[in-house]
Amino acid sequence: MPSSAHRLAVALQSAGHGDFPVADGTIEVLAAPPGPAMAVVAFTAHYLIASSASEGWIRGQLDPDDLLAPMSPRFLTLLADQLGRRDDGIDLLLAARGLGGRTTLRETTVEAHPRVQRAHAHRDDVRVFTDPTGAATIILGRGLANRTEVAIEIEPSRRDQGIARQALTEARRTITAGQLLFAQTAPGNAASIRTLLTAGFQPIGSEVLFFEHTPAPA
């Protein structure tokens, strides 16, 4: 990774490869990262806050004696208001290494799917794939700090058949071996977490992303 890469991008890539920040209670305050999102990212006893808010303002809102303060609802609400953005909720963050080789996924130009429309609001360079069964829609794009992110949607009638696990495994073949693919899911979405784990993704932290407000549909 180039030496000019954003500190958050470096930390995410390192954590995805198993090299985590020191668990010393540090809160790193960083400039806004590349990509459509700003963020608070939590590793074990180590936080990175990457946004357009000033360091003085951020540290002024945090209780230095509260190790959980950067992920507290109070601080996240204040930060969203300060940024003039909406937060996307707290997510579990996972990563998996690319497998390389040939994939069974087929790239498509489908744009009407709600998950695809959401992806265009949250990511750049969005690509959409379907699996051989036609039941899975898989979306890749560049998200926070230009990392490569994956999202998936399975037709309701085809869930719990192992299709998501296979499709996510195949998604790892769309990137070269050694590259990282990131995924986010709500901590309470146990089904999604189980599927990601069986597809080879590993939890590396948690995060809250902040996006620009989008106008309601006409």
Side-chain angles (χ1 to χ4, degrees):
M1 180 171 292
S3 59
S4 60
H6 192 282
R7 162 61 184 155
L8 179 58
V10 173
L12 289 168
Q13 290 293 320
S14 296
H17 287 291
D19 182 13
F20 292 90
V22 177
D24 57 2
T26 292
I27 299 172
E28 298 186 47
V29 179
L30 309 171
M38 300 182 189
V40 178
V41 179
F43 298 109
T44 302
H46 197 111
Y47 297 90
L48 289 85
I49 302 174
S51 76
S52 59
S54 71
E55 180 167 2
W57 181 89
I58 288 173
R59 296 201 184 277
Q61 313 310 312
L62 296 172
D63 180 351
D65 297 321
D66 182 1
L67 186 61
L68 303 179
M71 278 292 184
S72 68
R74 172 188 170 277
F75 173 70
L76 296 173
T77 299
L78 288 172
L79 181 57
D81 289 343
Q82 179 71 9
L83 299 176
R85 292 185 165 219
R86 58 177 179 81
D87 75 77
D88 209 38
I90 297 176
D91 278 331
L92 176 66
L93 175 63
L94 306 95
R97 298 189 188 195
L99 297 174
R102 299 182 64 179
T103 179
T104 62
L105 301 182
R106 179 175 59 86
E107 193 159 4
T108 179
T109 57
V110 172
E111 295 291 336
H113 195 289
R115 182 65 74 110
V116 176
Q117 294 175 344
R118 174 181 168 83
H120 279 293
H122 289 185
R123 300 180 177 99
D124 297 321
D125 298 334
V126 172
R127 301 173 66 193
V128 185
F129 300 82
T130 57
D131 75 320
T133 73
T137 300
I138 305 96
I139 304 156
L140 271 67
R142 289 190 298 108
L144 177 66
N146 284 332
R147 69 190 181 190
T148 303
E149 301 175 351
V150 63
I152 187 169
E153 184 76 20
I154 306 296
E155 291 183 7
S157 64
R158 303 296 302 278
R159 292 173 183 168
D160 301 318
Q161 298 177 24
I163 293 172
R165 176 193 59 76
Q166 182 61 36
L168 285 166
T169 302
E170 289 298 315
R172 295 175 60 194
R173 300 187 193 281
T174 64
I175 60 174
T176 60
Q179 277 191 296
L180 290 174
L181 189 58
F182 292 87
Q184 311 111 294
T185 190
N189 191 342
S192 176
I193 294 171
R194 288 194 300 269
T195 298
L196 286 161
L197 292 175
T198 59
F201 287 78
Q202 295 297 317
I204 62 172
S206 63
E207 65 184 20
V208 177
L209 304 184
F210 298 85
F211 294 99
E212 293 183 353
H213 290 280
T214 53

